[in-house]
Amino acid sequence: MIFTGDELLRGDIVNSNQAYLGERLLEVGLFATHALTVADNLGSIVEAIKAALAREPDVLLISGGLGPTEDDLTREAVAQALGVALEHRRELLQQITARFTFLSMNMPPSNRKQAALPVGAAALPFTGTAPGFWIEAGTTLIAALPGVSRELRTMWEEELAPIVRSRLSIQTGNEGAGVIVRRLRVTGIGEGTLADALKDLPWREQGVKFGTRAGLSGITVILRGGPAKKARAGVLYLESRVREILGDKVFGVDEADLAEALGQVLRQHRLTVATAESCTGGLVAKRLTDIPGSSDYFVGGVVSYSNRLKTALLGVSETLLATHGAVSEPVARAMAVGAVSRLGADCAIATTGIAGPNGGSPQKPVGLVYVATSVESEIEVARFTMFRDRDEIRERTAQTGLDLLRRRLLKRRPVDT
Amino acid sequence: MIFTGDELLRGDIVNSNQAYLGERLLEVGLFATHALTVADNLGSIVEAIKAALAREPDVLLISGGLGPTEDDLTREAVAQALGVALEHRRELLQQITARFTFLSMNMPPSNRKQAALPVGAAALPFTGTAPGFWIEAGTTLIAALPGVSRELRTMWEEELAPIVRSRLSIQTGNEGAGVIVRRLRVTGIGEGTLADALKDLPWREQGVKFGTRAGLSGITVILRGGPAKKARAGVLYLESRVREILGDKVFGVDEADLAEALGQVLRQHRLTVATAESCTGGLVAKRLTDIPGSSDYFVGGVVSYSNRLKTALLGVSETLLATHGAVSEPVARAMAVGAVSRLGADCAIATTGIAGPNGGSPQKPVGLVYVATSVESEIEVARFTMFRDRDEIRERTAQTGLDLLRRRLLKRRPVDT
């Protein structure tokens, strides 16, 4: 893999594309041996491509350098490394122009260069404004992808992966090659506790490796076996054991999002939800509405940042606020009550807390959070001490709110369909 | 920079050390030209070191491979690449043993190998259990650091950075080396248009490089000069020229956030703001409340996802909704009016649009968005066609709402303080 971009070398950006592509390659049975980040310098990129090709890899992925600026040199570098010319592709220019037209924008002249590809290359359809391409050099498939993560991912999944898969099975006759990887998405448990809970399972005996990756939207438990049949069975066996241990803390697989998992449960129960947010400031509603189709179950929400609006929009009594303070169990409860009655929903998630960095006190320190959930007028309030900075406290609070409601609903019998 | 570790190539871990070290090198006036991640394979690591030394860099940083396992090969690889032997360092073994004693642990025999360093190398004191080392090869300073981020960072800051600094100033006599970098944060303009607008400035004549980095929360224009005094003046001169051209599209420097910039303007004008969101689903409020202290000017918001709540919470008339549809200029306007009156704020941002992927029609396609801003009861509505996927449409819409209000307020005379 070659990544171009001064910004990756200067540390302006962490190169998450490398990990993404490394994982995707593994899924198709390829193990990345080298990943080089190189400056936006034509000579350096050409040299890097030549050095990579000298190792005769099955696949050489190049990411970045496909934009319209002078620093975008990948097209030219591939052509030079292979000793072929760049040729202007009329149909590609039409596609690029069409995107600008679609966006009601004038195409700057600099974007014309994106329609030039090395002779022999095939364009990869694009979702942004940067077309990718692929070309064969000896036994190596070279593919150029955008540096923008989102565009790179779409192009890999929708365009390049099928090409790589078909090319590998032709070459090696090894259909269905690839290690088996299962990823379980988990929340509501710490990474250390989770590792301890799983460490005594028969990983070694089953030829399966496991790892975890933690983020603010949950932990991913990764189970990985080799391509052999035995390893496949081992992965599936261990997945079932992990699921037994973690129970409803597992909310999905692969890239599953907790808000989507909650949405599925709400649909199953034919229930709607509203939000009443203070410290999360709209983040719970944002998470819910990240999911396409969420208008089926999400009616709306209130961000009652000021006490005045807690009263005006949610009916939280001024006495309650004065007696207990905005960050308290009774106020969280009253917010959930107000969300259900004022917004007209079956369920509610309400948050109030001190996200910091200021506003804490010995009695109510930064990180103190109350999360209330309401399921058909039954309200539960949980108290947490969240840690780290403002962003993390808010993200963890939103995640917790979504999860508490999901787990409460899982305990109910779904509506028959 | 060389990073060793199969886990970095398989994508189990994102390599954040690369960005960290790239940024640190820049601070001491060094620009990383190559960053290679290589598998835990002795031959590959030796080859990588030799290839790197052939370029005669000032510094070669190697991260990872200093642990006690069979996969930890950096000590041996450096020795082989330089053609020197590994030698056992008694005093280093004592330090490693002491750490285990300090942690009340028995030292496993495998850790003994960590006390072997290439002949000529100096050990770098360690905070974990992995000692680093440095050694000179021709004009290159080779340094080996742990792969664990926390240990790497401590070792760089406390041990290696002073060595690199002193070595560079001895070599070049250039005390206070370090490039000058200015980063301007810009929004409301496309990356291509921006590059075209700036490309004819005298970059080359002034010895200044410029680049852009685009994201959903704005574009960063990066101006970078060398350590020479002239370049410093050039960067500052060109910054003023860029600011002239971009005007109020520049909202800050470095890591500035648009919501923070809006907050500053609101404070200057002693105005408050409320939000009324449909398609952004809470994201505008979330962006505003990302900023500590935003409760000073943000009173709250409504996520009126359903039409029913647009009427109930914001007073948007049912007739208006039926006549024009929820995604329309009149409804955006009515939402802003409702936000101001129902939530009691001086200003408002209201959004309504079709974020997709479904719900579009030929008349109202996915990406059609209306953003209304209200400043003391004067309302302006703008229509946009946002592009790409649901996430981007929502992010761009929120960004646009924050920016439209900011730029309207900038045209007013601030309150005297």
Side-chain angles (χ1 to χ4, degrees), chain B residues 158-220:
Chain B
E158 295 180 7
E159 309 297 336
L160 191 56
I163 293 169
V164 170
R165 274 182 210 275
S166 84
R167 194 175 183 283
L168 285 181
S169 67
I170 288 165
Q171 267 205 335
T172 65
N174 177 12
E175 279 199 17
V179 297
I180 171 170
V181 179
R182 290 287 292 174
R183 296 185 189 82
L184 301 182
R185 300 276 292 143
V186 177
T187 195
I189 184 171
E191 194 180 14
T193 314
L194 184 141
D196 284 345
L198 302 185
K199 72 173 177 349
D200 293 332
L201 289 176
W203 301 107
R204 196 160 300 206
E205 296 84 328
Q206 296 286 339
V208 176
K209 290 187 175 178
F210 99 96
T212 57
R213 192 194 324 154
L216 296 175
S217 61
I219 300 176
T220 307

Side-chain angles (χ1 to χ4, degrees), chain A residues 91-103:
Chain A
E91 75 288 357
L92 198 52
L93 183 62
Q94 281 166 358
Q95 290 169 29
I96 297 167
T97 313
R99 278 211 67 84
F100 278 92
T101 308
F102 172 74
L103 301 169

Side-chain angles (χ1 to χ4, degrees), chain A residues 1-69:
Chain A
M1 300 190 278
I2 296 174
F3 301 89
T4 70
D6 292 354
E7 69 279 11
L8 298 170
L9 291 163
R10 289 187 307 240
D12 294 339
I13 299 177
V14 172
N15 186 1
S16 60
N17 290 342
Q18 178 177 322
Y20 172 80
L21 289 174
E23 209 172 349
R24 295 292 87 70
L25 287 171
L26 210 60
E27 286 173 358
V28 296
L30 293 168
F31 180 77
T33 61
H34 296 76
L36 176 67
T37 305
V38 65
D40 291 320
N41 171 293
L42 187 61
S44 300
I45 305 172
V46 172
E47 183 203 310
I49 295 172
K50 285 184 176 171
L53 289 177
R55 290 188 203 107
E56 300 186 353
D58 292 307
V59 175
L60 169 60
L61 298 180
I62 306 172
S63 160
L66 295 179
T69 75

Side-chain angles (χ1 to χ4, degrees), chain B residues 320-383:
Chain B
L320 207 65
L321 285 162
T323 313
H324 301 279
V327 179
S328 63
E329 194 273 352
V331 168
R333 182 178 296 270
M335 288 172 68
V337 171
V340 167
S341 63
R342 301 286 181 103
L343 277 66
D346 305 311
C347 304
I349 300 169
T351 64
T352 181
I354 299 162
N358 305 311
S361 69
Q363 289 74 39
K364 297 189 177 180
V366 169
L368 174 68
V369 167
Y370 292 90
V371 179
T373 52
S374 175
V375 178
E376 294 186 298
S377 303
E378 273 187 42
I379 293 173
E380 291 181 9
V381 187
R383 180 185 185 278

